[in-house]
């Protein structure tokens, strides 16, 4: 327990921001995609990822590998298959909706769908009979229902009661979010005190309401009036709000919009809480796992060099950095994430010795420096100067025994070279690249490159660092060979 | 002579002696100046690398020498040589001084040579700097040792 508190105490403000940012991104994805198939697939991929990590932890190599492949493939599939849904989320809504807006009512409730359908039918004067069962079983009372099992929608209801539909004459049984049956024949009421304006549809509705606790909605074909029948009573409904209220009361849902909103906010809050817990857990597993040591060979970067100076050389090109941190962090760390920098702002011409400290090394968050090897770096800086140097040919190979290379001259035989003063101080001759004698058998000329060592040297001449060798070859006198 | 001395007054004799001294000094100075005007500087007439020396002459002058030849000579001729003196042949391989030979010259003209034995490790570009007795470089000869 104390270990947990110790770890919690070690969380800095950066870590809190880290957790909150990731949690918020995930929460936004949840808000934007909840209720869609994309969300379900993403949740599925999340589950696969957890499974893959578990397989990797247990050493199930093939399973882990297969899971990785499926996850990668699924990510592509999401983008391709659900491109329209993703486009709708990203395009149809404004920027505010993407980053902080919350759509409280993503989908219509069954009551709203039914209400809007009923009044659409009423306006068109299309007769309709809809049964919303309560607790009583009425299967023995109704007859001839055609199984439908269609998801409730306004279009579906309108098509069921469309006059040309063979099943439009009976009643539609609506249970929850589905239309269970259509074309159901309801028992007729035998009451004799009903107004003459009531037709068969009204009698059927009343008949069922007398025998069960179901609510029946009637849309009159002649007048377009909407009525409901319940507990053997027929009531005319004047507007859609009244119908919605009746439907809610029938379904036992007396809560108003505010209550629903509260419930939704609670749901969102719970989702946010769960996400923060999950991200915190992942963060702890990444940053506060078992300490792992790693060594990296990191190249040294030099900065703030005086433009008038030249970096002539250093005792080291790279240093070995010993790091420690959580296992997952250390496994994913690369040399690109670790920087070893030496500022040459105060360096002078000649040899400069730098001792590497923590200030010279930048590390990713959660990783600590254990040791740097070697700690001391010698850097030599120089001022570039120009010097005229004679050129000499660097012959190699073997000339044929019967030949003598009598003379060889260079054009030019002196070149101007720019380089560090300390380097040029020690150089008295510039040599050509190695010229092979093996193929030389007669007098001629060759255009050759200069071998500039160190490579930082530059030839001033416009001949692109080339010189021409003019050489004379003669045959040995008899007896000399 | 005695008559002449008797005829001259003492101050005239002193003045005459001084004049004689001056004339003697001038006559002694004049030949020395003439001698300085005729003094000649050391001049190099030939500086070559060769495979061997035959009859005091360089034989098979070249710019490239094979290790198989075993040795290489630096031959230099001077004319005039104003007085007996020394010159130096400094042998460099890739700017590193390998050896320096002190060679004596005699008037009025003289030729000298130096040589080195060739080994496998000697392959590469070489130069010989011919220097006077003061160390001033008179001539540089470049050559290569190859397979």
């Amino acid at each position: 327990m104390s270990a947990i508190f110790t770890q919690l105490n070690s969380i800095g403000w950066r870590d809190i921001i880290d957790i909150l940012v990731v949690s918020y991104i995930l929460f936004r994805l949840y808000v934007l995609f909840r209720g869609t198939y994309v969300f379900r697939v993403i949740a599925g991929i999340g589950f696969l990822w957890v499974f893959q990590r578990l397989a990797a932890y247990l050493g199930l190599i093939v399973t882990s590998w297969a899971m990785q492949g499926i996850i990668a493939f699924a990510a592509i599939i999401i983008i391709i298959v659900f491109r329209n849904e993703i486009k709708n989320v990203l395009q149809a809504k404004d920027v505010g909706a993407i980053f902080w807006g919350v759509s409280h009512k993503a989908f219509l409730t069954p009551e709203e769908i039914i209400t809007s359908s009923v009044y659409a039918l009423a306006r068109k004067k299309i007769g309709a009979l809809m049964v919303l069962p309560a607790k009583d079983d009425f299967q023995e009372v109704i007859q001839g229902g055609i199984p439908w099992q269609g998801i409730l929608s306004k279009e579906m209801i309108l098509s069921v009661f469309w006059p040309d539909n063979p099943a439009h004459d009976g009643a539609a049984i609506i249970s929850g979010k589905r239309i269970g049956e259509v074309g159901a024949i309801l028992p007729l009421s035998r009451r004799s005190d009903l107004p003459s304006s009531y037709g068969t549809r009204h009698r059927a509705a009343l008949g069922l309401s007398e025998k069960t606790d179901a609510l029946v909605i009637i849309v009159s074909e002649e007048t377009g009036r909407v009525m409901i029948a319940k507990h053997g009573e027929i009531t005319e409904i004047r507007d859609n709000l009244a119908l919605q209220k009746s439907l809610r009361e029938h379904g036992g849902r007396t809560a108003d919009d505010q209550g629903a909103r509260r419930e939704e906010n609670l749901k969102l809050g719970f989702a946010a809480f769960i996400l923060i817990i999950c991200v915190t857990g992942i963060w702890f597993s990444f940053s506060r796992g078992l300490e792992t040591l790693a060594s990296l060979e990191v190249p040294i970067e030099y900065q703030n060099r005086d433009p008038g100076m030249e970096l002539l050389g250093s005792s080291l090109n790279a240093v070995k950095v010993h790091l420690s941190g959580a296992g997952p962090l250390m496994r994913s760390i690369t040399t690109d994430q670790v920087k070893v920098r030496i500022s040459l702002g105060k360096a002078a011409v000649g040899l400069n010795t730098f001792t590497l400290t923590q200030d010279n090394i930048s590390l990713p968050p959660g990783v600590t420096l254990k040791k740097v090897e070697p700690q001391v770096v010698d850097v030599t800086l120089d001022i570039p100067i120009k010097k005229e140097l004679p050129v000499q040919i660097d012959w190699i190979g073997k000339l044929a025994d019967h030949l003598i290379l009598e003379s060889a001259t260079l054009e030019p035989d002196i070149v101007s070279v720019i380089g560090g003063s300390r380097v040029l101080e020690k150089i008295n001759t510039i040599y050509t690249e190695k010229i092979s004698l093996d193929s030389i058998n007669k007098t001629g000329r060759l255009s050759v490159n200069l071998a500039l060592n160190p490579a930082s040297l530059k030839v001033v001449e416009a001949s692109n660092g080339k010189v021409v060798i003019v050489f004379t070859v003669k045959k040995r006198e008899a007896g000399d060979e | 002579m005695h008559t002449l001395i008797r005829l001259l007054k003492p101050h005239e004799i002193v003045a005459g002696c001084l004049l004689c001294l001056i004339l003697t000094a001038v006559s002694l100075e004049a030949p020395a100046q003439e001698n300085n005007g005729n003094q000649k500087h050391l001049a190099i007439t030939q500086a070559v690398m060769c495979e061997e020396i035959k009859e005091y002459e360089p034989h098979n002058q070249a710019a490239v020498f094979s290790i198989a030849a075993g040795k290489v000579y630096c031959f230099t001729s001077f004319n005039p040589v104003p007085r007996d003196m020394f010159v130096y042949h400094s042998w460099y391989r890739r700017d590193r001084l390998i050896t320096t030979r002190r060679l004596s010259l005699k008037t009025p003209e003289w030729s000298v040579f130096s040589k080195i034995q060739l080994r496998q490790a000697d392959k590469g570009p070489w130069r010989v700097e011919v220097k006077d007795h003061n160390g001033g470089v008179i001539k540089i000869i470049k050559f290569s040792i190859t397979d």
Side-chain angles (χ1 to χ4, degrees), chain B residues 10-28:
Chain B
H11 69 272
E12 290 172 334
I13 293 167
V14 172
C17 286
L18 281 172
L19 184 65
C20 285
L21 280 170
I22 289 165
L23 287 173
T24 307
V26 169
S27 65
L28 285 172

Side-chain angles (χ1 to χ4, degrees), chain B residues 49-63:
Chain B
M49 302 305 299
C50 60
E51 289 181 352
E52 58 184 326
I53 308 291
K54 276 185 181 174
E55 296 171 356
Y56 307 110
E57 286 295 327
H59 185 66
N60 285 346
Q61 297 174 28

Side-chain angles (χ1 to χ4, degrees), chain A residues 355-374:
Chain A
T355 303
L356 294 174
T357 63
Q358 179 84 49
D359 297 338
N360 297 105
I361 296 158
S362 68
L363 300 168
V367 178
T368 53
L369 178 70
K370 286 284 180 191
K371 199 167 63 171
V372 187
E373 281 183 327

Side-chain angles (χ1 to χ4, degrees), chain A residues 179-430:
Chain A
I179 300 174
E181 289 177 38
V182 295
I185 298 166
L186 308 182
L188 296 176
S189 171
R190 295 178 183 281
R191 278 169 59 176
S192 56
D193 58 338
L194 296 175
S196 58
S197 58
Y198 286 7
T200 316
R201 202 168 270 126
H202 293 85
R203 280 184 177 278
L206 202 56
L208 185 70
S209 72
E210 285 167 357
K211 291 186 169 57
T212 68
D213 59 354
L215 182 144
V216 186
I217 304 169
I218 312 118
V219 180
S220 170
E221 198 171 347
E222 285 80 22
T223 61
R225 284 160 65 190
V226 177
M227 295 183 179
I228 58 166
K230 194 173 179 185
H231 301 308
E233 294 291 330
I234 284 190
T235 318
E236 186 172 351
I237 302 295
R238 298 284 179 192
D239 56 44
N240 55 352
L241 289 176
L243 179 61
Q244 255 185 52
K245 192 182 173 197
S246 300
L247 293 175
R248 279 209 192 97
E249 283 172 1
H250 173 69
R253 296 175 60 188
T254 52
D256 53 8
D257 279 355
Q258 208 173 354
R261 180 163 289 190
R262 197 180 299 132
E263 190 185 330
E264 200 178 343
N265 284 343
L266 201 65
K267 205 186 280 179
L268 286 172
F270 182 70
F273 176 72
I274 293 292
L275 282 171
I276 288 174
I277 295 290
C278 288
V279 172
T280 309
I282 292 168
W283 184 87
F284 266 107
S285 74
F286 266 85
S287 62
R288 296 287 191 272
L290 290 172
E291 192 176 60
T292 307
L293 294 170
S295 298
L296 289 175
E297 193 90 358
V298 184
I300 302 171
E301 295 173 18
Y302 298 99
Q303 54 190 17
N304 306 328
R305 176 173 58 85
D306 184 342
M309 290 189 197
E310 192 175 293
L311 183 64
L312 207 61
S314 68
S315 59
L316 298 167
N317 291 326
V319 286
K320 199 167 202 174
V321 181
H322 298 268
L323 306 168
S324 76
L329 269 179
M330 299 312 290
R331 275 194 289 278
S332 62
I333 200 164
T334 62
T335 48
D336 295 339
Q337 294 170 282
V338 181
K339 305 281 180 202
V340 178
R341 294 192 177 102
I342 292 177
S343 174
L344 300 176
K346 292 178 181 171
V349 171
L351 188 70
N352 298 269
T353 301
F354 295 93
T355 303
L356 294 174
T357 63
Q358 179 84 49
D359 297 338
N360 297 105
I361 296 158
S362 68
L363 300 168
V367 178
T368 53
L369 178 70
K370 286 284 180 191
K371 199 167 63 171
V372 187
E373 281 183 327
Q375 252 188 315
V376 176
V377 185
D378 290 330
V379 181
T380 311
L381 291 172
D382 210 345
I383 296 171
I385 59 159
K386 190 160 96 173
K387 186 178 180 181
E388 293 209 327
L389 290 167
V391 185
Q392 186 169 353
I393 308 162
D394 191 358
W395 296 104
I396 56 161
K398 189 169 170 56
L399 194 66
D401 287 338
H402 68 286
L403 298 175
I404 294 177
L405 200 147
E406 197 175 36
S407 68
T409 55
L410 280 162
E411 295 171 3
D413 60 349
I414 292 176
V415 290
S416 290
V417 177
I418 293 178
S421 61
R422 293 166 70 90
V423 171
L424 286 176
E425 196 176 83
K426 295 171 190 166
I427 296 177
N428 295 312
T429 311
I430 292 288

Side-chain angles (χ1 to χ4, degrees), chain A residues 404-409 440 442-444 470-474, chain B residues 63:
Chain A
I404 294 177
L405 200 147
E406 197 175 36
S407 68
T409 55
I440 289 178
K442 60 179 181 181
T443 299
V470 181
F471 57 91
T472 314
V473 174
K474 74 167 190 179

Side-chain angles (χ1 to χ4, degrees), chain B residues 102-147:
Chain B
R102 187 179 188 228
L103 305 162
S104 59
L105 302 181
K106 295 192 184 304
T107 55
E109 59 180 288
W110 206 259
S111 295
V112 287
F113 66 87
S114 61
K115 67 171 180 178
I116 57 163
Q117 292 290 332
L118 299 180
R119 300 163 302 162
Q120 280 295 325
D122 291 333
K123 283 189 277 188
W126 284 72
R127 73 173 188 271
V128 175
E129 289 182 358
V130 182
K131 297 172 184 172
D132 61 19
H133 62 284
N134 292 320
V137 177
I138 305 168
K139 183 83 180 174
I140 296 173
I141 319 159
K142 294 170 184 171
F143 65 100
S144 284
I145 308 291
T146 64
D147 294 331

